[in-house]
């Protein structure tokens, strides 16, 4: 998988994950589990130079 494909996959996963996160209560175990992956993806994308200003709807 090329770097470009990997970045695309991570951006898509980040967007999809946030879509799921807005559907559940913040106090739920599901949200807490998703938040861990959200933070991981946010770090990966930021380190890759992706500007998350427009993509990040959770903003945590």
């Amino acid at each position: 998988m090329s770097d470009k494909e990997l970045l695309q996959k991570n951006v898509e996963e980040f967007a999809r994950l946030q879509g799921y996160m807005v559907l559940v209560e913040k106090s739920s175990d599901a949200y807490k589990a998703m938040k861990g992956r959200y933070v991981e993806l946010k770090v990966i994308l930021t380190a890759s130079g992706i500007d998350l200003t427009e993509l990040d709807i959770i903003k945590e």
Side-chain angles (χ1 to χ4, degrees):
M1 181 178 295
S2 72
D3 288 346
K4 185 176 179 179
E5 290 170 323
L6 189 56
L7 275 177
Q8 179 182 354
K9 179 180 175 276
N10 285 331
V11 167
E12 290 170 350
E13 183 180 353
F14 186 70
R16 188 178 317 113
L17 179 62
Q18 288 185 96
Y20 298 146
M21 289 174 77
V22 299
L23 296 175
V24 298
E25 296 291 326
K26 286 187 175 186
S27 60
S28 71
D29 289 337
Y31 187 92
K32 291 172 187 170
M34 288 185 277
K35 178 132 186 233
R37 183 60 178 153
Y38 163 84
V39 170
E40 292 170 354
L41 287 167
K42 194 169 183 175
V43 168
I44 290 167
L45 293 171
T46 301
S48 299
I50 303 296
D51 181 6
L52 297 177
T53 304
E54 296 294 322
L55 290 173
D56 191 1
I57 60 173
I58 302 296
K59 300 188 188 316
E60 288 186 19

